[in-house]
Amino acid sequence: MRCRRCDSPQIQRDYDDATTLITLVGMRKLLCNTCGYVFHGFDPFNILNRTPAKPDSGFSKRRLNPRYHTHLPTAISLINGTPSNGNGKVTYTDPSKGHCETISKLGMGLSLVGSRFSAEELSEVGRLLFVRIDLPAATMEGVVSILDHERLSENKKWFLAVKIHQVSDTDKAKLTSYLDERSKAQPLIHRD
């Protein structure tokens, strides 16, 4: 059985009972766990329970926003200090050259040879970085935070998965424009 609105197989019996006459015929009030749609369905043997259905194994792999392959020159600097420490001052290290390998509205994948930075600095989850990405038509700047890291080889090459922490409205518009162009020109990244 599937939801009539979103075609999800995540169906359970609704918490409100159907009328007695309808129940005698085998009809039940059903609830979709994905979109919340309530509908009547045929369940004569009372197979569906009131507990939520098991989550779809593929649901956790779905992305909120499309992600695209890129190879854009990027300057990456570490941010030392926190704006909330009272004086609001931070310092930036000298930038290291790298590349933006994947990009979306929420984050990106950065690769760099981290000879300028220590392994501890690049492997600190939540560490803030200042990035300057050379988009084809403009340059975008923003603050990102490290979500995950991977050391790719013996030559100190790193891959950093980062989420966008702070970006100006102007730079957000530049990114959105770039992603709109990419959505028309190139397919999305698909993961198995």
Side-chain angles (χ1 to χ4, degrees), residues 1-172:
M1 185 172 299
R2 294 186 166 272
C3 174
R4 295 176 186 165
R5 181 189 288 169
C6 69
D7 201 38
S8 170
Q10 308 241 343
I11 305 295
Q12 73 178 51
R13 216 167 81 215
D14 190 36
Y15 295 102
D16 291 334
D17 289 325
T19 60
T20 309
L21 185 60
I22 293 175
T23 307
L24 290 174
V25 191
M27 296 294 284
R28 305 274 187 258
K29 261 181 127 175
L30 304 176
L31 170 69
C32 175
N33 288 332
T34 305
C35 70
Y37 182 63
V38 176
F39 60 98
H40 285 90
F42 189 66
D43 185 21
F45 302 112
N46 220 6
I47 295 172
L48 295 173
N49 297 319
R50 283 200 167 128
T51 58
K54 293 180 182 174
D56 183 7
S57 61
F59 185 75
S60 64
K61 295 180 183 177
R62 294 182 193 161
R63 298 198 174 276
L64 296 175
N65 289 294
R67 184 174 63 162
Y68 300 95
H69 277 296
T70 61
H71 192 73
L72 301 170
T74 304
I76 304 164
S77 299
L78 298 176
I79 298 177
N80 297 316
T82 56
S84 60
N85 65 0
N87 62 8
K89 294 186 179 181
V90 295
T91 59
Y92 301 93
T93 62
D94 290 332
S96 180
K97 291 182 180 180
H99 287 93
C100 179
E101 301 289 335
T102 59
I103 194 165
S104 77
K105 281 186 179 180
L106 299 178
M108 54 195 77
L110 306 173
S111 66
L112 72 149
V113 177
S115 58
R116 190 177 294 262
F117 311 126
S118 70
E120 293 81 24
E121 292 171 321
L122 292 178
S123 59
E124 182 182 338
V125 174
R127 174 74 186 229
L128 296 179
L129 307 172
F130 179 78
V131 295
R132 181 178 295 119
I133 302 170
D134 293 331
L135 301 173
T139 299
M140 178 199 146
E141 296 179 343
V143 176
V144 298
S145 62
I146 298 174
L147 291 175
D148 198 7
H149 61 279
E150 183 180 355
R151 190 92 181 250
L152 297 177
S153 62
E154 298 293 325
N155 65 356
K156 298 184 180 181
K157 187 171 182 184
W158 288 83
F159 182 81
L160 303 174
V162 299
K163 71 174 179 177
I164 297 175
H165 183 73
Q166 185 177 13
V167 65
S168 71
D169 290 337
T170 305
D171 286 325
K172 191 174 195 174

